[in-house]
Amino acid sequence: MNILVCGHIDHGKTWTIYALMKTLERRFGIKNEYTENAMTEDPDYTINKDPFHYVFHFDGNRYHFFDFFDIDEYEAFLHDENSEVDAALLVCAATDGPLRQTYETVPLLREKGIEKLAVYLNKTDLIDDEDLIDFVKMDIDDLLEENGYSDVPYFYGASKYACYFGGEKYEEVLLEMFRSFAE
Protein backbone atom coordinates (compact mmCIF):
# COMPACT_ATOMS: atom_id res chain seq x y z
CA MET A 1 0.00 0.00 0.00
CA ASN A 2 1.33 3.46 -0.95
CA ILE A 3 0.50 6.18 1.56
CA LEU A 4 1.21 9.86 0.99
CA VAL A 5 1.97 11.83 4.15
CA CYS A 6 0.83 15.42 3.71
CA GLY A 7 0.16 18.63 5.60
CA HIS A 8 1.79 21.95 6.36
CA ILE A 9 5.52 22.35 6.93
CA ASP A 10 6.61 21.85 10.57
CA HIS A 11 3.37 20.13 11.54
CA GLY A 12 5.24 16.88 12.12
CA LYS A 13 4.84 14.75 9.01
CA THR A 14 8.36 13.33 9.16
CA TRP A 15 8.30 13.04 12.94
CA THR A 16 5.04 11.09 12.74
CA ILE A 17 6.51 8.52 10.38
CA TYR A 18 9.70 8.38 12.45
CA ALA A 19 7.62 7.87 15.62
CA LEU A 20 5.74 5.06 13.92
CA MET A 21 9.04 3.46 12.93
CA LYS A 22 10.35 3.73 16.51
CA THR A 23 7.09 2.34 17.90
CA LEU A 24 7.21 -0.69 15.60
CA GLU A 25 10.83 -1.29 16.64
CA ARG A 26 10.11 -0.97 20.37
CA ARG A 27 6.86 -2.91 20.41
CA PHE A 28 7.51 -5.66 17.87
CA GLY A 29 11.24 -5.61 17.16
CA ILE A 30 10.47 -4.72 13.53
CA LYS A 31 13.26 -2.96 11.66
CA ASN A 32 12.04 -1.01 8.67
CA GLU A 33 13.65 0.40 5.56
CA TYR A 34 14.07 3.93 4.32
CA THR A 35 15.55 5.30 1.15
CA GLU A 36 16.42 8.72 2.54
CA ASN A 37 17.36 9.29 6.14
CA ALA A 38 15.59 12.56 6.65
CA MET A 39 15.84 12.48 10.43
CA THR A 40 18.63 13.17 12.86
CA GLU A 41 18.88 12.65 16.58
CA ASP A 42 18.85 16.43 17.06
CA PRO A 43 15.56 17.31 18.83
CA ASP A 44 15.67 20.82 17.30
CA TYR A 45 15.68 19.40 13.76
CA THR A 46 12.23 20.22 12.43
CA ILE A 47 12.34 20.42 8.65
CA ASN A 48 12.57 17.51 6.25
CA LYS A 49 14.68 18.94 3.42
CA ASP A 50 14.66 15.81 1.26
CA PRO A 51 11.78 13.71 0.02
CA PHE A 52 11.73 10.45 1.86
CA HIS A 53 10.28 7.02 1.41
CA TYR A 54 9.85 4.60 4.31
CA VAL A 55 8.84 1.00 3.86
CA PHE A 56 7.11 -0.73 6.77
CA HIS A 57 6.54 -4.47 6.97
CA PHE A 58 3.73 -5.30 9.36
CA ASP A 59 1.21 -8.14 9.71
CA GLY A 60 2.44 -9.63 6.44
CA ASN A 61 1.81 -6.42 4.52
CA ARG A 62 4.16 -3.85 3.02
CA TYR A 63 3.41 -0.14 3.48
CA HIS A 64 5.21 2.63 1.60
CA PHE A 65 5.04 6.11 3.15
CA PHE A 66 6.02 9.09 0.98
CA ASP A 67 6.66 12.64 2.17
CA PHE A 68 7.86 15.75 0.37
CA PHE A 69 9.16 19.10 1.50
CA ASP A 70 6.88 21.51 -0.35
CA ILE A 71 3.65 21.74 -2.28
CA ASP A 72 5.41 21.74 -5.67
CA GLU A 73 6.85 18.31 -4.95
CA TYR A 74 3.44 17.05 -3.83
CA GLU A 75 1.86 18.40 -7.00
CA ALA A 76 4.51 16.81 -9.22
CA PHE A 77 4.10 13.47 -7.44
CA LEU A 78 0.30 13.55 -7.55
CA HIS A 79 0.20 14.63 -11.21
CA ASP A 80 2.67 11.96 -12.28
CA GLU A 81 0.56 9.30 -13.97
CA ASN A 82 3.04 6.66 -12.81
CA SER A 83 2.69 7.52 -9.12
CA GLU A 84 0.39 5.17 -7.30
CA VAL A 85 -1.21 6.44 -4.13
CA ASP A 86 -3.66 4.23 -2.26
CA ALA A 87 -4.22 6.42 0.78
CA ALA A 88 -3.15 9.65 2.45
CA LEU A 89 -2.27 10.64 5.97
CA LEU A 90 -3.02 14.30 6.64
CA VAL A 91 -0.86 15.52 9.53
CA CYS A 92 -1.95 18.74 11.21
CA ALA A 93 -0.50 20.36 14.32
CA ALA A 94 -3.13 20.89 17.00
CA THR A 95 -1.15 24.00 17.98
CA ASP A 96 -1.73 25.69 14.60
CA GLY A 97 -4.66 24.06 12.86
CA PRO A 98 -4.78 23.76 9.09
CA LEU A 99 -2.48 26.20 7.29
CA ARG A 100 -1.61 27.00 3.67
CA GLN A 101 -0.09 23.67 2.61
CA THR A 102 -2.94 21.80 4.29
CA TYR A 103 -5.47 23.79 2.26
CA GLU A 104 -3.46 23.29 -0.93
CA THR A 105 -2.92 19.55 -0.51
CA VAL A 106 -6.43 18.28 0.23
CA PRO A 107 -7.88 19.33 -3.16
CA LEU A 108 -4.91 17.61 -4.84
CA LEU A 109 -5.74 14.39 -3.01
CA ARG A 110 -9.31 14.56 -4.27
CA GLU A 111 -8.12 15.36 -7.79
CA LYS A 112 -5.86 12.28 -7.72
CA GLY A 113 -8.87 10.21 -6.65
CA ILE A 114 -7.53 9.24 -3.24
CA GLU A 115 -10.49 7.97 -1.24
CA LYS A 116 -8.79 6.54 1.84
CA LEU A 117 -7.69 9.31 4.16
CA ALA A 118 -6.86 9.60 7.86
CA VAL A 119 -6.06 12.71 9.91
CA TYR A 120 -3.34 12.69 12.54
CA LEU A 121 -3.60 15.65 14.91
CA ASN A 122 -0.06 16.07 16.14
CA LYS A 123 1.32 18.03 19.10
CA THR A 124 -1.77 17.43 21.22
CA ASP A 125 0.52 17.14 24.24
CA LEU A 126 1.12 20.89 23.94
CA ILE A 127 -2.57 21.84 24.21
CA ASP A 128 -4.21 22.08 27.62
CA ASP A 129 -7.64 23.20 26.41
CA GLU A 130 -9.67 20.43 24.72
CA ASP A 131 -11.90 23.09 23.14
CA LEU A 132 -8.94 24.30 21.06
CA ILE A 133 -8.47 20.81 19.67
CA ASP A 134 -12.19 20.69 18.85
CA PHE A 135 -11.88 23.98 16.93
CA VAL A 136 -8.94 22.63 14.92
CA LYS A 137 -10.95 19.49 14.13
CA MET A 138 -13.91 21.63 12.98
CA ASP A 139 -11.63 23.59 10.61
CA ILE A 140 -10.23 20.38 9.17
CA ASP A 141 -13.73 18.87 8.87
CA ASP A 142 -14.85 21.91 6.86
CA LEU A 143 -11.87 21.56 4.52
CA LEU A 144 -12.45 17.84 4.07
CA GLU A 145 -16.20 18.25 3.46
CA GLU A 146 -15.54 20.98 0.87
CA ASN A 147 -13.44 18.41 -0.98
CA GLY A 148 -15.90 15.53 -0.74
CA TYR A 149 -14.45 13.65 2.23
CA SER A 150 -16.65 12.39 5.04
CA ASP A 151 -16.25 9.99 7.95
CA VAL A 152 -12.49 10.47 7.99
CA PRO A 153 -10.88 8.91 11.08
CA TYR A 154 -8.91 11.19 13.43
CA PHE A 155 -5.98 10.19 15.59
CA TYR A 156 -4.71 12.46 18.38
CA GLY A 157 -1.02 12.13 19.15
CA ALA A 158 2.37 13.62 19.89
CA SER A 159 5.04 12.36 17.51
CA LYS A 160 8.15 13.81 19.15
CA TYR A 161 6.99 12.61 22.54
CA ALA A 162 6.42 9.11 21.13
CA CYS A 163 9.89 9.15 19.50
CA TYR A 164 11.82 10.09 22.58
CA PHE A 165 9.75 8.72 25.43
CA GLY A 166 7.53 6.06 23.89
CA GLY A 167 4.71 5.58 26.29
CA GLU A 168 1.65 3.47 25.78
CA LYS A 169 -0.76 6.35 25.13
CA TYR A 170 0.96 7.87 22.11
CA GLU A 171 2.34 4.61 20.76
CA GLU A 172 -1.16 3.09 20.77
CA VAL A 173 -2.46 6.08 18.79
CA LEU A 174 0.25 5.56 16.16
CA LEU A 175 -0.49 1.84 15.91
CA GLU A 176 -4.23 2.48 15.66
CA MET A 177 -3.61 5.03 12.90
CA PHE A 178 -1.29 2.63 11.09
CA ARG A 179 -3.79 -0.24 11.31
CA SER A 180 -6.56 1.99 9.93
CA PHE A 181 -4.86 1.82 6.52
CA ALA A 182 -5.07 -1.97 6.49
CA GLU A 183 -8.87 -1.95 6.92
Side-chain angles (χ1 to χ4, degrees):
M1 171 172 273
N2 295 329
I3 303 164
L4 182 64
V5 183
C6 52
H8 194 74
I9 190 169
D10 287 340
H11 277 205
K13 298 180 300 291
T14 304
W15 279 106
T16 299
I17 299 311
Y18 192 63
L20 178 59
M21 181 181 76
K22 291 298 228 181
T23 298
L24 291 172
E25 285 178 15
R26 279 193 290 261
R27 292 281 185 100
F28 306 104
I30 297 172
K31 296 284 185 185
N32 292 286
E33 313 164 23
Y34 54 87
T35 56
E36 297 260 2
N37 185 5
M39 299 299 298
T40 73
E41 292 301 316
D42 178 2
D44 294 326
Y45 182 84
T46 58
I47 297 175
N48 171 18
K49 293 188 167 114
D50 299 307
F52 78 92
H53 171 209
Y54 278 107
V55 181
F56 294 91
H57 303 272
F58 189 71
D59 286 343
N61 296 309
R62 187 176 170 111
Y63 300 87
H64 298 259
F65 282 83
F66 297 91
D67 183 21
F68 301 96
F69 178 64
D70 66 23
I71 192 67
D72 294 333
E73 291 169 341
Y74 280 104
E75 283 183 21
F77 182 76
L78 288 168
H79 287 119
D80 182 348
E81 61 188 41
N82 295 318
S83 69
E84 294 181 27
V85 181
D86 302 305
L89 175 62
L90 180 64
V91 177
C92 186
T95 53
D96 294 331
L99 295 177
R100 183 182 52 80
Q101 285 180 318
T102 312
Y103 285 101
E104 291 172 346
T105 303
V106 172
L108 292 173
L109 299 175
R110 176 52 69 201
E111 185 181 311
K112 181 72 173 179
I114 299 168
E115 297 294 327
K116 191 170 193 72
L117 178 66
V119 175
Y120 182 80
L121 276 181
N122 192 23
K123 305 182 184 185
T124 58
D125 58 323
L126 303 177
I127 303 291
D128 292 331
D129 186 350
E130 290 294 319
D131 289 340
L132 291 176
I133 293 174
D134 290 340
F135 286 127
V136 169
K137 184 182 182 298
M138 287 187 331
D139 284 347
I140 295 170
D141 282 344
D142 289 346
L143 172 63
L144 295 175
E145 288 174 16
E146 287 170 16
N147 288 279
Y149 289 102
S150 60
D151 300 321
V152 175
Y154 279 78
F155 301 93
Y156 302 84
S159 298
K160 277 191 180 180
Y161 188 95
C163 277
Y164 288 105
F165 306 111
E168 191 169 326
K169 176 182 177 180
Y170 293 122
E171 286 186 344
E172 283 302 318
V173 169
L174 288 164
L175 292 172
E176 185 182 340
M177 179 266 303
F178 186 51
R179 288 182 175 123
S180 75
F181 289 110
E183 296 174 349

